[in-house]
Amino acid sequence: DQQVKQNSPSLSVQEGRISILNCDYTNSMFDYFLWYKKYPAEGPTFLISISSIKDKNEDGRFTVFLNKSAKHLSLHIVPSQPGDSAVYFCAALNAGNMLTFGGGTRLMVKP
Amino acid sequence: ETGVTQTPRHLVMGMTNKKSLKCEQHLGHNAMYWYKQSAKKPLELMFVYSLEERVENNSVPSRFSPECPNSSHLFLHLHTLQPEDSALYLCASSPGGHTDTQYFGPGTRLTVL
């Protein structure tokens, strides 16, 4: 059973608009969440994270929101740029420092 | 050279072959990981080493055998693999503490014929 789920396999957004990528989790023991970005032929690279004691973390164009009661987090990218086109993975950490990844969402930003 | 490197980047092997994947990190990290990414499936954690000791093995078949000779190097020895083992194998490292960000290598694309 997948403990971290990204239900949208792909998302297409116009340049300059907002991209919203969603992630749901089932394990209430997760206490730290991360977003990774992956280009083809490269390993995932860390993008932004949030601790479970917060509900929002912002870094430039990227903002992650956490709704613990709903076990839901989202990544907002605004404004979206063509270079943001990649696969985005949501990941959750438990106390044992074990990352559990979602299946990824492929974001396509059209010029 | 910096970051996490993996060799080879691509590997094609038969089911009776024995091969090894290599990962090297130049970040001074204490923990290293092997992940498997199959098509249309989430990244799966295979092995975790912390300070060269294995701390996690997610029920990986014995045809995958990890080795961590020191904190900078991690190997994944492969033998008698199956076609369904074809996937992207990613290595990662982290400083070692909880909430540490993991830094990934580029991966090895493995095809088992």
Side-chain angles (χ1 to χ4, degrees), chain B residues 18 20 22 73 79 84-85 88 109:
Chain B
K18 289 184 180 181
S20 295
K22 179 183 177 182
H73 294 87
H79 63 99
E84 59 264 30
D85 296 323
L88 179 69
R109 174 69 62 186

Side-chain angles (χ1 to χ4, degrees), chain B residues 68-90:
Chain B
C68 187
N70 56 62
S71 60
S72 298
H73 294 87
L74 185 65
F75 295 90
L76 187 62
H77 303 299
L78 316 171
H79 63 99
T80 60
L81 294 192
Q82 304 298 312
E84 59 264 30
D85 296 323
S86 298
L88 179 69
Y89 289 84
L90 288 159

Side-chain angles (χ1 to χ4, degrees), chain A:
Chain A
D1 183 35
Q2 271 184 259
Q3 297 187 60
V4 180
K5 292 184 181 179
Q6 293 176 255
N7 291 317
S8 298
S10 64
L11 174 68
S12 183
V13 172
Q14 202 68 34
E15 181 181 6
R17 307 294 291 267
I18 185 171
S19 296
I20 300 176
L21 298 106
N22 293 305
C23 178
D24 297 292
Y25 62 96
T26 58
N27 189 341
S28 58
M29 297 303 293
F30 290 141
D31 59 0
Y32 200 77
F33 303 89
L34 306 93
W35 284 93
Y36 282 81
K37 177 180 179 180
K38 184 180 185 302
Y39 292 115
E42 295 182 15
T45 56
F46 170 73
L47 190 59
I48 192 169
S49 63
I50 188 167
S51 166
S52 60
I53 62 173
K54 295 185 177 181
D55 55 18
K56 178 182 175 181
N57 188 26
E58 190 173 353
D59 183 3
R61 296 185 298 114
F62 302 91
T63 304
V64 56
F65 295 92
L66 175 62
N67 183 334
K68 282 189 65 179
S69 59
K71 293 191 176 67
H72 176 84
L73 63 156
S74 61
L75 174 68
H76 293 211
I77 307 173
V78 56
S80 301
Q81 299 173 354
D84 296 329
S85 298
V87 177
Y88 289 78
F89 290 96
C90 166
L93 263 177
N94 61 18
N97 200 33
M98 302 305 160
L99 267 180
T100 302
F101 283 86
T105 297
R106 181 176 300 279
L107 173 66
M108 293 163 284
V109 180
K110 298 180 180 179

Side-chain angles (χ1 to χ4, degrees), chain B residues 9-91:
Chain B
R9 293 295 307 277
H10 300 272
L11 178 62
V12 179
M13 60 187 289
M15 290 190 286
T16 59
N17 291 158
K18 289 184 180 181
K19 296 287 185 183
S20 295
L21 309 185
K22 179 183 177 182
C23 175
E24 189 171 356
Q25 58 98 359
H26 308 273
L27 301 168
H29 290 170
N30 290 323
M32 297 186 76
Y33 312 77
W34 278 117
Y35 287 89
K36 174 184 178 183
Q37 185 176 23
S38 304
K40 299 181 181 179
K41 291 179 69 175
L43 277 166
E44 301 171 58
L45 179 64
M46 299 177 72
F47 300 103
V48 180
Y49 277 81
S50 178
L51 296 173
E52 301 152 45
E53 296 291 326
R54 188 191 302 182
V55 296
E56 179 80 12
N57 173 0
N58 282 349
S59 302
V60 179
S62 59
R63 56 187 184 269
F64 296 92
S65 175
E67 179 190 0
C68 187
N70 56 62
S71 60
S72 298
H73 294 87
L74 185 65
F75 295 90
L76 187 62
H77 303 299
L78 316 171
H79 63 99
T80 60
L81 294 192
Q82 304 298 312
E84 59 264 30
D85 296 323
S86 298
L88 179 69
Y89 289 84
L90 288 159
C91 172

